[in-house]
Amino acid sequence: MKPIAVIYGTEEYLMEQARRRFVADCQQRAGGDAAVRQFKKDAPAAAVVEAFEGTSLFGGGSVVVWTECPFLPIKRGGRSRSKLTKEETWFLEKLRTLSDENGVLFYTKGNIDTGCAFFKELRPMADVVAGEAVTEKNVMPYVSDFLEARGKKLTLRAEQYLRGLFQTWGEISLMYVFSELEKLCISLDDGRRSVDEADVADLFAGTMEKNLFTFMDYFLRRDGRHVVPFLEGLFSRQDLFLKNVGYMMSRLRLLLAYKELKEAGMGQRQCESIMTQINKGRSVKYVLYHLQKAAPYWTIRELQELITNIFTLQRNIRRGTAAIDDIGPLICLYCRTKGRV
């Protein structure tokens, strides 16, 4: 690794892992414990230079960590600054004379402006790690690797369950995901390698995303007894109402499309291909696992009616002739306590 690094982004776990690797590499190059000195955004550049040019009192190297360095601003739109200031030019010249036993790390929480002049000049000298946000599209390899390192492996049903659950999330915190998986591994027998759906069903309990996923699982099976306890927590606030009704509608539209395609005699691959287009290009491979289980509980006519009624409710809310609390009675109209359609 180079003695200079830039670590930035929004995924704190990935950023922290990169920070530890950098410090460990600096210590190895210094032949001992390198002293780590921390500087915040408002630190004078001269003080930072003095720190990485100086010699440790204990004779080893030093690692300087400058958090939220003002020379690497957060990208907020608009044009990037194309010229270096005199202070930035001076600072870069000092970095070019950095000794091999020392290290300098620029650590920023957020997406920095990689188009600014300072970053472009710094880039050839530094290792750059972007801790990009983890979403449902790329979280599963992290989950699999974490479990594999502990001698565990998800069954297909467990993987399908987690993929469906993660689709209710926006950005995903790996720190939180791994803490839940760690608790899972501790609870399982040491000699047990396989992790099944029942094992992961209790993960992330109490989160809004897990509650929304569980609510939809019950609602698509029209289980009114288990649906009702979730209604107030999911739909009582305006911001939650918009987000959660949006997710609900996306699943209802996909379920309707699935039933219509199956009625038209489409095969599984054809259904998956067409539904991916309906889902704005996002794969429905693992969503189908849940929709297939819910399909017997609904007729096409009922789904069309429900979708229309939700659209009508949203329109009336905007007109001021309905309230967000009205979603509860509407949902309950389509629930049963037992039985299938």
Side-chain angles (χ1 to χ4, degrees), residues 183-230:
K183 288 188 288 187
L184 171 66
C185 291
I186 292 173
S187 68
L188 296 176
D189 295 336
D190 291 339
R192 183 177 163 196
R193 176 172 172 78
S194 180
V195 178
D196 205 356
E197 181 178 358
D199 301 316
V200 298
D202 293 330
L203 296 181
F204 316 111
T207 64
M208 180 62 67
E209 295 84 1
K210 176 61 182 293
N211 289 344
L212 178 58
F213 177 78
T214 305
F215 159 78
M216 281 305 298
D217 185 49
Y218 284 129
F219 179 65
L220 290 181
R221 288 187 281 122
R222 309 182 75 163
D223 184 343
R225 183 168 62 89
H226 289 97
V227 160
V228 171
F230 288 99

Side-chain angles (χ1 to χ4, degrees), residues 136-245:
E136 83 280 357
K137 295 180 180 179
N138 61 347
V139 66
M140 288 309 297
Y142 291 110
V143 171
S144 298
D145 289 346
F146 184 92
L147 293 174
E148 187 69 28
R150 286 153 182 79
K152 310 293 182 184
K153 185 176 182 180
L154 293 170
T155 64
L156 178 59
R157 291 174 64 87
E159 181 181 352
Q160 289 171 329
Y161 176 88
L162 287 179
R163 284 184 182 274
L165 171 60
F166 286 134
Q167 289 204 357
T168 65
W169 297 33
E171 292 185 3
I172 297 172
S173 167
L174 284 182
M175 192 76 73
Y176 176 53
V177 171
F178 290 162
S179 68
E180 290 290 293
L181 292 176
E182 188 66 53
K183 288 188 288 187
L184 171 66
C185 291
I186 292 173
S187 68
L188 296 176
D189 295 336
D190 291 339
R192 183 177 163 196
R193 176 172 172 78
S194 180
V195 178
D196 205 356
E197 181 178 358
D199 301 316
V200 298
D202 293 330
L203 296 181
F204 316 111
T207 64
M208 180 62 67
E209 295 84 1
K210 176 61 182 293
N211 289 344
L212 178 58
F213 177 78
T214 305
F215 159 78
M216 281 305 298
D217 185 49
Y218 284 129
F219 179 65
L220 290 181
R221 288 187 281 122
R222 309 182 75 163
D223 184 343
R225 183 168 62 89
H226 289 97
V227 160
V228 171
F230 288 99
L231 294 178
E232 183 176 357
L234 292 176
F235 301 105
S236 60
R237 292 196 343 239
Q238 183 71 21
D239 56 337
L240 297 179
F241 178 88
L242 295 173
K243 174 179 180 286
N244 295 341
V245 168

Side-chain angles (χ1 to χ4, degrees), residues 219 235 241 245-246 248-249 252-253 303-318 327 330-331 334:
F219 179 65
F235 301 105
F241 178 88
V245 168
M248 184 180 178
M249 289 290 281
L252 290 172
R253 285 194 294 265
L303 287 168
Q304 291 172 334
E305 179 186 87
L306 173 57
I307 290 171
T308 299
N309 285 341
I310 293 177
F311 271 123
T312 302
L313 175 62
Q314 290 176 311
R315 181 196 64 194
N316 291 340
I317 290 173
R318 288 194 294 271
I327 190 70
L330 175 58
I331 288 172
Y334 291 88

Side-chain angles (χ1 to χ4, degrees), residues 254-306:
L254 286 175
L255 179 57
L256 174 60
Y258 175 73
K259 289 189 69 72
E260 290 176 334
L261 290 170
K262 294 300 290 185
E263 187 173 89
M266 297 288 185
Q268 191 72 4
R269 290 187 178 180
Q270 289 175 301
C271 287
E272 186 176 329
S273 175
I274 295 172
M275 290 175 66
T276 298
Q277 297 177 41
I278 295 172
N279 202 33
K280 300 179 181 179
R282 297 172 62 185
S283 174
V284 297
K285 181 178 180 181
Y286 297 98
V287 176
L288 279 175
Y289 167 72
H290 299 279
L291 296 182
Q292 287 169 342
K293 294 193 297 182
Y297 292 87
W298 297 86
T299 65
I300 290 176
R301 182 177 178 179
E302 284 176 318
L303 287 168
Q304 291 172 334
E305 179 186 87
L306 173 57

